[in-house]
Amino acid sequence: MQSSSGTTPAPRNAIIRYNLQGTRGRKVNLISNNFQVNFSKPSIKIYQFDLSIIDPNKKNGENANSVPSKYVCEEVFKQLNLGVRWAYDGKKNLYSPSEKLKINLRKIKVGRTTYDVTVAGPVAETSVKEIFDAVKQAGAVIPADAVNALNIVLAQGFNNGSYVTIKRNFFETEQRAPDFPGGLKLYSGISTTISPTKDFGITIKVLKTHQVMYPGGRLLDFVKDNLENSGKDDRGGGRQGHSSQSARLPQSLNEHQRKFFNGILKGLKVETSHLSYKRKYTITGMHTGTANNTIIEELNVSVAQYFSDEYGGELNYPELPLVNVGGKTKLPMELCTILPNQPYFKSLNSAQQMDMIRRACQKPKEKMNDIVESAKQVSSVSSASTGQHYKFEINPRAIELNGRILNPPKMDEKNPVKYGAWRMSAVARSGKIPGDIKIGFVSLLPPFRYKKELHDKFLTHIRKRATDLKILDIAGSDPPLEFCKIDELERTLEQTNSAYTFVILDNDSSYGQAKLTEQFSRRTQCVKLQTVQKVCGMNANRNGKGPDTTTMDNILKKLNAKIDGVNFGINVDGLPQTIFDELVMIVGADVTHFTRSDKKPSIAAVVATADPTASKYISRVKALYPEGERMSVEYIRDMRSVMKSILTEFENTNKCLPRRIIYYRDGVSEGQFENTVMEELGGIQDACMELKDNYKPRISVVVCTKRHKQRFVVKGKGGRIDNMEPGTVVDTGVVSPNFMNFFLNSQQAIQGTSVPCHYYVLYDDNKFTMDMWQMLSFYLCHTYARCSRSVSYPAPVYYAHLACASARARMLSRYDWQEIQTGSEEAPTEEEIERITRPDKFNMFFI
């Protein structure tokens, strides 16, 4: 849209497009997972063509121009037989180093459908030179279409071979993948992404990656392998661990099992062979009826009778639910075979998460060796395919560069910070538990599992440690211990009338339901049985080491934070600029989405510091249903009203408004900066103007994310490879050339290889130096109330993430989303969800 003068109006808030470097800290030598891409002819053009695949059989009113399934698109591309120089994005775009091509209407048959296929263009062109020019020019924007074209060209080399491509990750289809809990397989592969850099031009980031896959084979075998996980847990919880190989397939499924399998089978591609030919289908869900009781109206016979009459054989499992496969078509599961190489995108349960961590966790040297070997494989594949046509080759030597290690803040007068951790001698200020009955205990486990002997030991250890840490209100007469089931918890808590209750969980799925009972005047803390055993030194992993003080401390830190205590303060004297001489509000925000869902809303959380110690927070939660055909909401809608509410509460608490607002936003990619983060900044500014006409605080905006593929390891003496120390910062070499950005590793890796956080300073009224941004972000990573060690994100961002997770668990437990997705129940409104996801007046509910 243009203004009346014919020029495009300047944006309300402009993103910082220059790059700066810090100077503080001691030097460290690093190796990255970047590999330089060398172009013998950077001026070579890459032409884009439109591929149109139309189903002429679609009825009036259906979108005939919509992109068919991935399988159909790939089959059409293969049958076009364009040659190895062509690259395809799997949807509508083709790329070629030549502009000479024209394919008039061609009929291509895939399965039983004949499609009308045309290739038109070129419709656009780009070149590698455009990227090099943008890297060298200050303030320029890296051309996303050129980078995207290179990523597709690179991927095509793998697509031409025996690989399956999943989101720029490449997996060999014939690999011997190990078993994974739930009857699944765990594939190993290579992840790549083109990355223009400040000092090394165009590079490619390479990582070894893992992907959970459905196994090929009979659908009933997969169902049998998942019977032990088919409990009520929305995430596939139920009983944990690998499924029993001796499990027998039942003749029928109960309603909980049907809903469970509806969740994990939806979207799965299967093949049937009861016809004279093989036919492929996509499962859209589990039908409520079985083959015996589902009637085919046109024939007035049951599905079981139809298959018996039509194909001359009795079904072995006529009482199992049918699967819906589109339209009115329903199939018996025993006639379906799972097609191989299909990714499993469902949420993993706790057993699967633990297994994934165990398999994917690698020490730095092992990680780097895998990266180098993967880079060699990428180089080999591209050289044999698209590399020769687009005139590039990949240097298999990893890029080395320098970083700096920042000094940590002072956290405890007696115990300095070492390797990202410190021992807390006492809390800075104890909170207070209101009411006559301070604490109570409710076990969702029966007395024979949560025994009184164990409970007494747990209470003794917690009380003694609370006294050591100077946390009040824990001593006194023995608190009540009650036993109940999860559906009786609300009534039990009302009867015990304790202001703060420890709830001993029976399984992971009870967490959300337990949290739904929480109120400002009745706070709860959920504890697993394994945690109680760990505190008492009775856990098998303790090996006779006695009570676990660290676990006790973490439990008590959560308690103290929930009752308005302060666990520790931070000494800001080491910061290069003074900002805390006036009121500052540091804000963290995050949005979490659900996997492959068309009904569940996204959950957004905004938290903000409410006191000078940055230990007390104001919080708000929003439910965000997608608009139109979008699958999720990336930005926080109505940020104006959210921040206006937070600022009003801040003013009521502190008797004045903050002079500075520092906004840390998690989970946003570079392509979303303009339309997401800057929109939210506008909402913050609008909130300030609505509160007071002359209220104009200095606002800064920072995006921080760990959802990236950048890795670094330390290159030590004699070729030794180590993890980065906490405080390691990188702001040269491989950083983005056209943003004020840096990588900061703020945590000590307990296992595996460290993953740094990537920070982008997008807007800065406060005029901080790069040293200030790096030091402030590092200091904020030490203010996380749950533990006395630095964490991977600044605490406000971490809290926003926790608030999203806690709200999500409450929402999943409150509503039956299986019934909502099938249309049997009405979806709750955003306002209804917000009421149950954050207890009224309880800001620190997420701790």
Side-chain angles (χ1 to χ4, degrees):
M1 183 177 178
Q2 292 189 332
S3 65
S4 57
S5 63
T7 59
T8 302
R12 177 180 177 182
N13 297 304
I15 291 177
I16 297 173
R17 291 286 180 182
Y18 54 82
N19 198 293
L20 297 174
Q21 288 79 49
T23 58
R24 292 202 173 192
R26 64 186 191 276
K27 178 181 170 184
V28 61
N29 297 322
L30 302 171
I31 307 173
S32 71
N33 66 325
N34 297 69
F35 299 81
Q36 205 155 14
V37 184
N38 300 314
F39 292 85
S40 60
K41 191 178 178 182
S43 60
I44 189 172
K45 298 285 187 182
I46 303 177
Y47 297 95
Q48 179 184 336
F49 295 78
D50 276 350
L51 173 62
S52 173
I53 306 171
I54 297 176
D55 181 356
N57 301 317
K58 284 202 170 183
K59 299 175 184 178
N60 291 335
E62 292 183 298
N63 187 0
N65 294 317
S66 62
V67 179
S69 69
K70 181 180 178 183
Y71 169 75
V72 170
C73 290
E74 289 175 347
E75 283 298 310
V76 167
F77 180 67
K78 287 178 185 176
Q79 293 186 45
L80 283 173
N81 197 26
L82 297 174
V84 294
R85 68 179 182 173
W86 284 83
Y88 178 42
D89 71 350
K91 296 177 181 177
K92 289 187 173 183
N93 301 309
L94 291 167
Y95 296 88
S96 170
S98 172
E99 60 181 325
K100 296 178 181 179
L101 176 79
K102 186 174 183 181
I103 296 180
N104 293 321
L105 182 64
R106 181 185 294 184
K107 302 286 187 179
I108 294 181
K109 187 175 182 180
V110 180
R112 298 193 304 170
T113 304
T114 300
Y115 294 89
D116 294 338
V117 179
T118 56
V119 178
V123 296
E125 66 178 57
T126 186
S127 71
V128 175
K129 185 176 181 298
E130 293 178 20
I131 301 176
F132 282 115
D133 290 344
V135 167
K136 296 173 185 175
Q137 182 180 349
V141 178
I142 301 294
D145 54 346
V147 174
N148 185 53
L150 278 182
N151 273 312
I152 292 167
V153 166
L154 183 72
Q156 192 60 47
F158 288 93
N159 294 337
N160 291 340
S162 57
Y163 292 82
V164 59
T165 303
I166 303 169
K167 299 179 180 178
R168 293 183 187 162
N169 301 328
F170 313 107
F171 302 90
E172 290 187 82
T173 56
E174 302 301 322
Q175 64 178 279
R176 297 181 63 182
D179 292 335
F180 191 74
L184 298 160
K185 296 287 184 180
L186 186 64
Y187 278 45
S188 297
I190 299 171
S191 173
T192 67
T193 186
I194 293 292
S195 176
T197 64
K198 184 176 183 298
D199 296 328
F200 296 98
I202 298 175
T203 70
I204 179 173
K205 294 176 189 172
V206 179
L207 274 177
K208 182 179 178 181
T209 189
H210 295 85
Q211 176 63 52
V212 180
M213 298 276 202
Y214 287 97
R218 294 196 325 144
L219 178 58
L220 281 186
D221 288 339
F222 179 68
V223 170
K224 183 180 76 170
D225 287 340
N226 272 279
L227 284 174
E228 290 199 13
N229 289 329
S230 56
K232 193 175 180 180
D233 189 349
D234 185 84
R235 296 174 50 211
R239 293 170 61 187
Q240 305 296 326
H242 290 262
S243 49
S244 171
Q245 297 299 313
S246 60
R248 296 183 62 185
L249 191 67
Q251 289 296 316
S252 62
L253 299 180
N254 61 38
E255 183 61 11
H256 287 162
Q257 291 171 324
R258 188 193 68 79
K259 288 183 177 181
F260 170 79
F261 285 111
N262 183 76
I264 68 170
L265 297 183
K266 189 175 182 180
L268 184 62
K269 294 177 178 62
V270 296
E271 185 177 70
T272 59
S273 56
H274 62 281
L275 303 169
S276 58
Y277 57 90
K278 292 184 177 181
R279 186 173 178 186
K280 296 177 174 65
Y281 295 91
T282 299
I283 296 176
T284 58
M286 295 287 286
H287 186 52
T288 54
T290 68
N292 271 345
N293 64 24
T294 301
I295 304 299
I296 303 173
E297 294 180 2
E298 296 85 349
L299 303 175
N300 197 30
V301 297
S302 70
V303 171
Q305 188 63 47
Y306 168 78
F307 276 95
S308 176
D309 295 344
E310 191 74 14
Y311 302 105
E314 300 287 336
L315 294 176
N316 294 318
Y317 297 93
E319 289 299 325
L320 286 178
L322 301 170
V323 288
N324 297 318
V325 290
K328 294 184 178 180
T329 307
K330 301 167 183 62
L331 293 171
M333 287 192 286
E334 62 191 85
L335 301 181
C336 299
T337 301
I338 300 174
L339 294 173
N341 304 318
Q342 295 185 69
Y344 181 88
F345 288 132
K346 316 298 181 184
S347 297
L348 301 181
N349 63 38
S350 57
Q352 291 169 328
Q353 289 173 357
M354 290 175 62
D355 198 88
M356 174 66 85
I357 293 170
R358 180 178 61 82
R359 293 172 189 261
C361 184
Q362 292 179 296
K363 292 183 178 180
K365 185 173 183 178
E366 183 184 359
K367 185 82 168 181
M368 203 63 222
N369 288 341
D370 274 349
I371 287 171
V372 171
E373 288 304 311
S374 296
K376 290 178 181 177
Q377 193 172 347
V378 174
S379 178
S380 174
V381 168
S382 60
S383 297
S385 185
T386 51
Q388 55 186 309
H389 297 287
Y390 292 85
K391 310 301 181 185
F392 71 87
E393 61 180 10
I394 298 169
N395 186 338
R397 182 180 176 84
I399 291 174
E400 299 183 13
L401 68 160
N402 292 328
R404 292 173 289 112
I405 304 175
L406 307 176
N407 291 326
K410 293 179 180 178
M411 299 299 299
D412 189 284
E413 293 182 1
K414 298 180 181 179
N415 303 299
V417 178
K418 292 183 179 179
Y419 300 106
W422 65 98
R423 186 165 179 80
M424 188 174 70
S425 53
V427 297
R429 186 174 72 246
S430 173
K432 292 184 179 180
I433 304 175
D436 296 327
I437 304 176
K438 301 295 185 180
I439 64 171
F441 290 82
V442 175
S443 174
L444 301 181
L445 291 166
F448 73 88
R449 290 197 62 196
Y450 186 63
K451 298 180 179 179
K452 190 172 187 308
E453 177 190 3
L454 176 64
H455 172 73
D456 290 343
K457 281 187 177 181
F458 178 59
L459 181 58
T460 300
H461 288 305
I462 288 292
R463 276 178 166 169
K464 183 178 184 305
R465 187 59 188 157
T467 302
D468 294 342
L469 295 176
K470 296 181 171 54
I471 298 176
L472 309 174
D473 287 348
I474 300 296
S477 59
D478 286 349
L481 169 62
E482 303 290 340
F483 294 88
C484 71
K485 295 180 179 179
I486 185 62
D487 55 1
E488 301 167 345
L489 181 59
E490 177 90 38
R491 181 165 50 84
T492 303
L493 289 173
E494 289 175 356
Q495 291 173 348
T496 57
N497 200 30
S498 55
Y500 195 99
T501 304
F502 290 93
V503 179
I504 314 301
L505 297 177
D506 52 349
N507 59 55
D508 290 346
S509 64
S510 296
Y511 172 79
Q513 292 172 275
K515 281 299 172 183
L516 282 171
T517 66
E518 190 165 46
Q519 300 174 5
F520 177 70
S521 59
R522 192 178 67 210
R523 306 175 194 190
T524 60
Q525 184 167 341
C526 295
V527 184
K528 294 181 180 180
L529 177 63
Q530 302 95 300
T531 305
V532 175
Q533 292 170 333
K534 202 172 178 182
V535 165
C536 299
M538 298 171 67
N539 187 284
N541 295 329
R542 294 298 294 164
N543 294 324
K545 296 179 181 177
D548 190 328
T549 305
T550 301
T551 302
M552 279 187 249
D553 284 1
N554 292 346
I555 290 173
L556 290 167
K557 285 168 191 169
K558 288 179 68 173
L559 181 149
N560 196 49
K562 276 177 172 272
I563 59 174
D564 299 325
V566 177
N567 289 339
F568 32 73
I570 187 169
N571 187 329
V572 297
D573 292 344
L575 291 175
Q577 289 175 260
T578 302
I579 63 169
F580 291 100
D581 55 338
E582 53 187 354
L583 272 180
V584 180
M585 185 167 76
I586 303 174
V587 182
D590 190 18
V591 179
T592 186
H593 311 291
F594 287 87
T595 306
R596 297 173 65 87
S597 170
D598 56 357
K599 294 289 184 181
K600 300 187 187 101
S602 300
I603 299 291
V606 182
V607 304
T609 54
D611 69 334
T613 66
S615 58
K616 293 184 179 180
Y617 282 78
I618 303 164
S619 64
R620 297 291 184 270
V621 172
K622 278 190 74 65
L624 304 169
Y625 278 110
E627 298 171 331
E629 296 183 358
R630 296 176 65 89
M631 293 298 291
S632 61
V633 181
E634 301 300 332
Y635 70 100
I636 302 174
R637 276 199 306 260
D638 199 15
M639 187 60 146
R640 176 193 55 80
S641 64
V642 173
M643 282 304 298
K644 190 176 178 181
S645 172
I646 288 175
L647 285 165
T648 300
E649 186 169 341
F650 185 98
E651 184 179 27
N652 292 337
T653 302
N654 296 282
K655 309 307 177 187
C656 64
L657 290 164
R659 299 310 307 160
R660 302 177 193 263
I661 298 175
I662 301 171
Y663 181 59
Y664 280 91
R665 176 67 153 89
D666 182 25
V668 181
S669 64
E670 287 187 12
Q672 298 170 327
F673 287 172
E674 200 73 61
N675 295 328
T676 298
V677 182
M678 302 312 278
E679 282 289 324
E680 293 169 4
L681 168 61
I684 297 172
Q685 292 169 330
D686 289 342
C688 295
M689 288 188 288
E690 284 192 20
L691 279 172
K692 291 183 181 179
D693 290 339
N694 61 346
Y695 178 50
K696 294 182 180 179
R698 294 185 290 278
I699 302 173
S700 297
V701 176
V702 187
V703 166
C704 51
T705 180
K706 291 187 71 177
R707 299 179 184 92
H708 58 74
K709 298 180 179 179
Q710 187 67 61
R711 300 292 184 273
F712 302 102
V713 295
V714 174
K715 183 182 180 182
K717 294 181 180 179
R720 180 183 174 87
I721 302 296
D722 288 313
N723 258 320
M724 293 180 286
E725 286 186 34
T728 301
V729 66
V730 175
D731 56 16
T732 61
V734 297
V735 296
S736 181
N738 302 113
F739 289 105
M740 186 174 173
N741 68 118
F742 58 92
F743 292 95
L744 171 63
N745 179 71
S746 51
Q747 79 285 3
Q748 179 71 26
I750 298 174
Q751 58 180 351
T753 304
S754 297
V755 179
C757 186
H758 196 180
Y759 294 80
Y760 297 84
V761 182
L762 300 186
Y763 185 86
D764 188 17
D765 282 342
N766 288 288
K767 308 298 181 186
F768 291 162
T769 64
M770 186 59 107
D771 276 324
M772 180 61 181
W773 277 118
Q774 292 168 359
M775 294 290 287
L776 176 63
S777 300
F778 186 40
Y779 274 33
L780 287 172
C781 293
H782 292 73
T783 62
Y784 184 60
R786 282 186 171 190
C787 59
S788 51
R789 62 170 54 246
S790 56
V791 291
S792 57
Y793 281 112
V797 181
Y798 217 132
Y799 289 155
H801 178 74
L802 289 178
C804 281
S806 183
R808 173 191 175 115
R810 287 169 161 86
M811 188 187 78
L812 289 176
S813 295
R814 175 64 179 80
Y815 303 105
D816 190 334
W817 292 98
Q818 295 278 0
E819 295 299 315
I820 291 170
Q821 288 179 347
T822 60
S824 301
E825 288 186 15
E826 215 173 292
T829 64
E830 292 180 352
E831 292 73 21
E832 286 174 331
I833 294 172
E834 288 163 22
R835 279 197 296 271
I836 63 102
T837 51
R838 175 184 172 272
D840 187 39
K841 299 180 182 179
F842 187 16
N843 279 312
M844 299 291 283
F845 73 96
F846 49 80
I847 288 291

